[in-house]
Amino acid sequence: MTQDDKPERPESPETGPDAGADAQGSADAAGEGGAGWRRAPGRIAPGLHLVSTPIGAARDITLRALDLFAGADVLAAEDTRSLRRLMEIHGVRLGGRPLIAYHDHNGAQVRPRLMAYLAEGKSVAYASEAGTPLVADPGFQLARAATAEGHTVLAAPGASAVLAALAVAGLPSDRFCFVGFPPAQGGARRAWLDEVTAIPATLVLYESPKRVHRLLGELAHHGGREAALCRELTKRYEEVIRGTLDDVARAIEGRDLKGEIVVLLGRPDAQVQDIDLDAALRAAMDGASLREAVDAVTEATGLKRRQVYQRALALAKDDD
């Protein structure tokens, strides 16, 4: 998420100052001499490593991410305090290595320094404040510059609010589109909503808690659709609200929401009267099996598979 749009993060039991015994236990067990994580042997390969970090629960870190944080020649982070804290929890020592702040506001000044490290054949591990770099988080210009200069760019996958929300929303996930933050104001916002709501896929949006009530009302103008609101995923006050847009809007009415919010919007309902189902099926069945044709038409129209299948059987019988 961009610096301007990120809501204030409430402290979580995993990463806040009250992490207490759980966090300390993780640090004790995760150190290189402990019974938990042990750094994999070998030098980190030269190049830029884009490292995903937990979106809430510190234990969602991957072993590969810890290896990179422990062994990279240079560390860069959207928020150096967050990365330091994460490394402390897991017993990863910084030592004398550089830890450089890199974000949207200082990228132009800091990129040349990071490019110089890469030119020297060093390994640079970059982490967003939380989640996956480049997914509504800084890192795009850094990765683009590294690629343009011929350096290796690698990803260490891990936590992502987009995928976590999609997993728990209860909406179709076979085709989805992440559209990020809506514009904040005016005609640009209306035009953006008109464009994205026409996409025949489950939409995944980020929105500020200050504007999410407004967003649900705006989305309702584009048809009654299934939706889910996911708040503070993997954190202490995690919440998922599912239903129609009206259901979700009523569930949060009058509430002053806090934390990070992901809104998911189901596909628009297909208007049966606007679809020439017979024509679509006959075209799809030309050179394909009945099952393949049914799958293709169901995907293209958004109609219920049973409805499409029964009509396909009828057409096939008529043709015989």
Side-chain angles (χ1 to χ4, degrees), residues 172 174-178 196-204 225 265-268 299:
D174 58 319
R175 179 168 50 180
F176 66 92
C177 182
F178 172 62
V196 301
T197 53
I199 298 172
T202 296
L203 301 184
V204 186
R225 294 157 74 162
L265 185 67
R267 298 174 190 172
E299 177 72 16

Side-chain angles (χ1 to χ4, degrees), residues 275-286 293 297 301 311 315:
I275 297 173
D276 188 340
L277 181 56
D278 287 4
L281 279 169
R282 290 189 185 281
M285 291 166 66
D286 185 15
V297 172
T301 63
R311 187 57 192 158
L315 290 176

Side-chain angles (χ1 to χ4, degrees), residues 123-139:
S123 54
V124 177
Y126 173 71
S128 297
E129 181 181 0
T132 300
L134 281 73
V135 182
D137 277 291

Side-chain angles (χ1 to χ4, degrees), residues 47-133:
L48 175 63
H49 300 261
L50 303 170
V51 186
S52 297
T53 57
I55 59 176
R59 292 177 68 86
D60 284 342
I61 194 70
T62 68
L63 299 180
R64 184 177 173 206
L66 295 177
D67 287 342
L68 289 168
F69 292 148
D73 298 315
V74 178
L75 298 177
E78 179 186 5
D79 187 323
T80 56
R81 296 169 300 176
S82 294
L83 182 55
R84 279 183 183 273
R85 178 59 177 149
L86 185 64
M87 291 170 64
E88 288 172 0
I89 287 172
H90 292 290
V92 179
R93 299 176 181 86
L94 178 61
R97 295 174 296 159
L99 174 55
I100 301 168
Y102 178 91
H103 45 73
D104 286 335
H105 300 297
N106 71 352
Q109 293 74 41
V110 174
R111 269 195 304 277
R113 183 180 175 189
L114 296 177
M115 291 301 104
Y117 282 124
L118 292 173
E120 294 171 5
K122 295 186 181 299
S123 54
V124 177
Y126 173 71
S128 297
E129 181 181 0
T132 300

Side-chain angles (χ1 to χ4, degrees), residues 131-184:
T132 300
L134 281 73
V135 182
D137 277 291
F140 171 70
Q141 294 296 344
L142 178 60
R144 188 178 180 90
T147 301
E149 295 189 16
H151 302 301
T152 299
V153 177
L154 301 170
S160 166
V162 173
L163 296 180
L166 193 66
V168 301
L171 294 171
S173 58
D174 58 319
R175 179 168 50 180
F176 66 92
C177 182
F178 172 62
V179 294
F181 281 97

Side-chain angles (χ1 to χ4, degrees), residues 6-7 28 32 40-41 48 70 72 77 110 123 133 143 178 187 219 226 240 266 310:
K6 278 186 178 176
D28 290 342
E32 292 188 4
L48 175 63
V110 174
S123 54
F178 172 62
L219 290 174
E226 293 295 308
V240 180
Q310 289 178 337

